[in-house]
Amino acid sequence: MNSAIILLVTMVVIFSIVIFFFYYLSIIKKRDAKTIDADWHHFQNAVKHHRIQAIEKYGTQLIWNEHITVEQVKEMSAVMKKLEKSHPELNELKLVIYNKRKDWSKKYPRHYSGNPYL
């Protein structure tokens, strides 16, 4: 085989992997958009009935969902503050929620409206 054929096959394989990856990401985004409301309802129901395992399950699903809003994250953070002392098993979820809020509060340079040289 000459180099042109090897290069062509390599490029086809790489492009097919990239296309598959973006297709898979689009499927995940569509699924997340469909389930955000139901997961939020289940999370609120679990908090109301103090079901800790359900709080952990649906809270984890919600926090990794890219369609979650800032208000929902703030409400989840408030719930974790109430439950953190009596339920240490929710500590990992509390840390993930904290990191999500911290990441969203960053001021990235592309969003900075002030003088970039100060």
Side-chain angles (χ1 to χ4, degrees):
M1 293 176 84
N2 62 17
S3 321
I5 295 174
I6 293 173
L7 184 62
L8 180 67
V9 169
T10 303
M11 295 299 285
V12 167
V13 168
I14 289 172
F15 283 133
S16 62
I17 290 172
V18 168
I19 289 170
F20 175 75
F21 177 73
F22 283 111
Y23 175 72
Y24 181 70
L25 284 179
S26 71
I27 289 173
I28 290 174
K29 286 180 182 183
K30 288 177 186 175
R31 184 194 65 211
D32 283 350
K34 288 179 183 176
T35 62
I36 185 80
D37 293 330
D39 289 343
W40 182 247
H41 176 71
H42 289 304
F43 178 77
Q44 289 178 324
N45 193 17
V47 169
K48 186 168 77 173
H49 296 294
H50 297 288
R51 295 188 330 236
I52 301 305
Q53 290 178 340
I55 291 172
E56 187 173 10
K57 175 185 174 186
Y58 291 112
T60 304
Q61 288 177 359
L62 278 169
I63 204 66
W64 291 111
N65 191 323
E66 69 177 31
H67 298 286
I68 193 168
T69 63
V70 175
E71 292 80 21
Q72 289 172 330
V73 174
K74 285 181 181 178
E75 188 174 330
M76 290 175 72
S77 181
V79 168
M80 290 301 121
K81 284 182 183 178
K82 290 178 188 175
L83 296 175
E84 70 182 340
K85 291 185 177 146
S86 59
H87 300 286
E89 60 270 16
L90 294 175
N91 191 37
E92 185 176 330
L93 179 59
K94 183 188 83 155
L95 292 175
V96 174
I97 293 170
Y98 171 76
N99 287 332
K100 176 78 107 177
R101 287 191 70 186
K102 187 175 179 182
D103 185 48
W104 281 0
S105 66
K106 288 182 184 174
K107 294 189 182 206
Y108 293 105
R110 64 181 175 269
H111 300 300
Y112 183 67
S113 60
N115 187 350
Y117 298 111
L118 292 179

